[in-house]
Amino acid sequence: PDENSRYRQVVIMYCMEDGTMSMTEPRVENSGIPQGQFLKRHRVMRDDGQGFIGPDDFRVGQEITIYGRTYHLTGCDRFTRWFYEE
């Protein structure tokens, strides 16, 4: 059977101090898929070319496109949830 999509868990870390972000995938032994760091820490342009990705682009339940790949944001840690509620 051909596979046309796969759901994978990634951790997106956005640094407020300088507007950079990094992405990693938790390692799972014997999965047969390359895992680890997806994106090294740097500033990432928005998909529409209108500036860089910022904190307003990250909302749980929304999708974000980074370098042509679309990611669905499913959750965040307690501090991040508090930050967006303020």
Side-chain angles (χ1 to χ4, degrees):
D2 290 330
E3 185 176 321
N4 59 5
S5 68
R6 178 179 293 234
Y7 295 101
R8 297 167 71 172
Q9 300 288 324
V10 295
V11 176
I12 300 174
M13 172 98 59
Y14 182 80
C15 301
M16 298 282 288
E17 62 188 354
D18 57 0
T20 59
M21 63 179 286
S22 64
M23 294 174 49
T24 58
E25 181 179 21
R27 295 187 185 272
V28 177
E29 275 193 51
N30 293 328
S31 68
I33 300 171
Q35 299 162 345
Q37 194 157 17
F38 268 18
L39 183 70
K40 291 187 178 184
R41 184 175 169 178
H42 67 279
R43 293 180 76 188
V44 177
M45 287 290 290
R46 289 187 179 167
D47 195 41
D48 60 5
Q50 301 292 322
F52 293 100
I53 291 177
D56 293 334
D57 297 312
F58 297 101
R59 298 286 181 185
V60 174
Q62 290 185 344
E63 293 184 344
I64 186 169
T65 302
I66 302 169
Y67 293 128
R69 287 190 177 176
T70 302
Y71 300 92
H72 181 77
L73 303 176
T74 59
C76 62
D77 63 6
R78 184 179 301 152
F79 175 79
T80 305
R81 193 170 301 276
W82 171 83
F83 175 80
Y84 282 113
E85 288 173 356
E86 289 297 312

